[in-house]
């Protein structure tokens, strides 16, 4: 994975993430947690794991709070979530679940037709991407990367056919 992104082809372009897709973040508010049948999962950085999105140990919020937060960060299937705070900042996953949920202190990279979500995820897990996260983080006790820095995240992006080839090669290696 690191070799692929350390030695990109000549036809790979460096772009800012915010120029490739819509980049948002979740709420910074701490709503009251609820436990009723209409409650909505409230995802934070602790739910983003190397293995993907986890709904274990999730708190729940009211539908009213969710509707308010959803206007800001409308998470959808195949979007990418990236942790913005704490020791695991920079950890990313593809939303592979169609459940409705809200996010807090988590970056949201909206899916579109200019990139493959799997390619973007592999890039975000590369050494190059991790170095940007560390260099761009603020705070000493609990580091964080701000939304502005996330939007300026430099990514290497080839055309879709090369992205597909990279995804297939890396997926094969991982299996």
């Amino acid at each position: 994975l690191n070799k692929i992104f350390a030695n990109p082809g000549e036809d790979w372009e460096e772009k800012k993430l915010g120029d490739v897709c819509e980049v948002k973040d979740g709420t910074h508010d701490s709503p009251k947690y609820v436990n009723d049948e209409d409650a909505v999962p409230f995802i934070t950085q602790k739910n983003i794991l190397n293995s993907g999105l986890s709904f274990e140990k999730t708190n729940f919020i009211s539908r009213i709070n969710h509707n308010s937060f959803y206007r800001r960060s409308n998470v959808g299937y195949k979007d990418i979530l990236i942790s913005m705070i704490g020791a695991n900042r920079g950890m990313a996953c593809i939303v592979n679940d169609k459940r409705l949920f809200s996010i807090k202190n988590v970056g949201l990279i909206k899916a579109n037709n200019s990139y493959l979500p799997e390619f973007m995820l592999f890039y975000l897990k590369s050494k190059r991407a991790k170095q940007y996260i560390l260099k761009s983080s603020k705070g000493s006790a609990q580091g964080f990367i701000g939304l502005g820095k996330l939007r300026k995240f430099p990514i290497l992006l080839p055309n879709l056919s090369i992205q597909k080839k990279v995804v297939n090669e890396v997926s094969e290696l991982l299996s």
Side-chain angles (χ1 to χ4, degrees), residues 14-18 23 82 89-90 123-138 144-155:
E14 184 171 297
K15 297 182 178 186
K16 293 178 184 165
L17 184 59
V23 181
I82 185 167
R89 70 189 172 283
Y123 183 78
L124 293 171
K125 290 184 175 208
S126 72
K127 184 177 181 179
R128 183 182 187 122
K130 299 283 186 204
Q131 287 172 336
Y132 177 80
I133 293 286
L134 291 176
K135 183 180 91 177
S136 301
S137 293
K138 294 181 181 178
F144 70 94
I145 183 166
L147 183 58
K149 291 286 187 184
L150 200 56
R151 287 179 174 150
K152 292 177 184 174
F153 203 123
I155 59 165

Side-chain angles (χ1 to χ4, degrees), residues 2 14 17 20 49 53 58 60 66 80 88 98 104 110 120 128 130-133 135 142 161-162 166 170 173 175:
N2 290 324
E14 184 171 297
L17 184 59
V20 173
L49 308 176
L53 180 61
T58 302
F60 293 83
H66 165 73
I80 294 176
N88 73 335
K98 293 187 178 180
K104 176 182 179 176
K110 296 295 292 173
M120 185 68 73
R128 183 182 187 122
K130 299 283 186 204
Q131 287 172 336
Y132 177 80
I133 293 286
K135 183 180 91 177
Q142 187 168 11
S161 65
I162 294 174
V166 168
V170 174
L173 288 170
S175 67

Side-chain angles (χ1 to χ4, degrees), residues 36-118:
D36 61 43
E37 62 186 48
D38 201 34
V40 177
F42 194 52
I43 298 297
T44 65
Q45 76 278 359
K46 74 177 190 277
N47 301 100
I48 300 173
L49 308 176
N50 272 330
S51 58
L53 180 61
S54 171
F55 283 88
E56 289 185 32
K57 300 178 185 172
T58 302
N59 291 312
F60 293 83
I61 60 173
S62 71
R63 177 85 45 182
I64 291 170
N65 279 333
H66 165 73
N67 289 339
S68 173
F69 299 154
Y70 194 76
R71 277 187 232 114
R72 173 186 176 126
S73 50
N74 54 331
V75 181
Y77 187 69
K78 290 292 186 179
D79 287 345
I80 294 176
L81 300 179
I82 185 167
S83 176
M84 296 175 71
I85 191 167
N88 73 335
R89 70 189 172 283
M91 193 170 295
C93 68
I94 294 175
V95 176
N96 57 358
D97 193 300
K98 293 187 178 180
R99 278 183 258 193
L100 203 58
F101 61 89
S102 283
I103 57 175
K104 176 182 179 176
N105 294 331
V106 171
L108 172 62
I109 300 167
K110 296 295 292 173
N112 66 35
N113 294 329
S114 67
Y115 71 91
L116 298 175
E118 297 81 4

